Amino acid sequence: AMLAENGFTVGSGYYVKAGREGRFEGRAVISGGTVTNDGYRSVIGIGLGQAKGELVQTGGTHIKAGDGGDIIVGFSGGEGLFAISNGLFQTLKSIDIWVGGCPTNELQRYLAYCPDRRDAKGVLDVAGGRFVSSNGRLFVGVDGSGELAIGETGLLTVKELALSNAVDRAAGTETRMRFTFGPTGVGKATVSAGLRIDPGAKLTVDASAYSGGPKGFYVLEAANRTGD
């Protein structure tokens, strides 16, 4: 078991001043046991600034229990991947989850040296296992390119989901929600409150690996929806 009282970052380069060389890389793997992320404003940051970060969960239980403190996957030029293929990730309090950039005030004082860039890349990949944030708001592609991927046995539950188009798409950024079937089928995303789909956001389904017979799959369920 591990207790992280003040959050943690994987791949952190937001202290590198604009124009300076240097890029950082980090990777963390949770394969079993229990990790508890606790404490006030205990941010989980993956790929911040001039950095690439990967948080990979292949088993075990990862609990974010503290008040405040967002989850940020890719920020200000950074590349972040949060991948879960087995086990449980769960948040216990209200939280905002940003995949592919976030508003600059989310990191507060830590942005002293972070350049104002709109090209973050973030991926939340739930290939299997469960990602549960019953009181959480998930924003994809707010300030860069963001992707939410659901695999063969992945289950995602959030309160709100926004597939954003906030950044000028001429800059080459993209927001996508992707469902990828395995031989037996595909997982599901459940949004208990609001789903918002901005113009230009994409939804893709790849069923090329499916080997079962004719069958219906409910891949996305939301209490209400804005946008197409």
Side-chain angles (χ1 to χ4, degrees), residues 199-223:
K202 298 179 180 180
L203 173 65
T204 62
V205 178
D206 180 359
S208 59
Y210 180 61
S211 59
K215 182 180 179 181
F217 291 91
Y218 293 95
V219 297
L220 177 59
E221 180 180 356

Side-chain angles (χ1 to χ4, degrees), residues 77-101:
E79 298 179 42
L81 169 66
F82 191 161
I84 176 170
S85 59
N86 195 13
L88 169 68
F89 174 83
Q90 184 175 18
T91 68
L92 302 184
K93 305 290 180 67
S94 297
I95 189 175
D96 288 340
I97 304 159
W98 307 90
V99 178

Side-chain angles (χ1 to χ4, degrees), residues 80 110 121 128 159 164 171 177 196 211:
Y110 301 112
K121 296 180 181 179
K159 181 179 180 181
S164 180
M177 187 172 188
R196 191 187 87 224
S211 59

Side-chain angles (χ1 to χ4, degrees), residues 140-141 162-166 169 175 196-202 226-228:
V140 182
L163 301 177
S164 180
N165 194 25
R169 297 298 146 185
T175 297
R196 191 187 87 224
I197 305 173
D198 286 354
K202 298 179 180 180
T226 302
D228 297 318

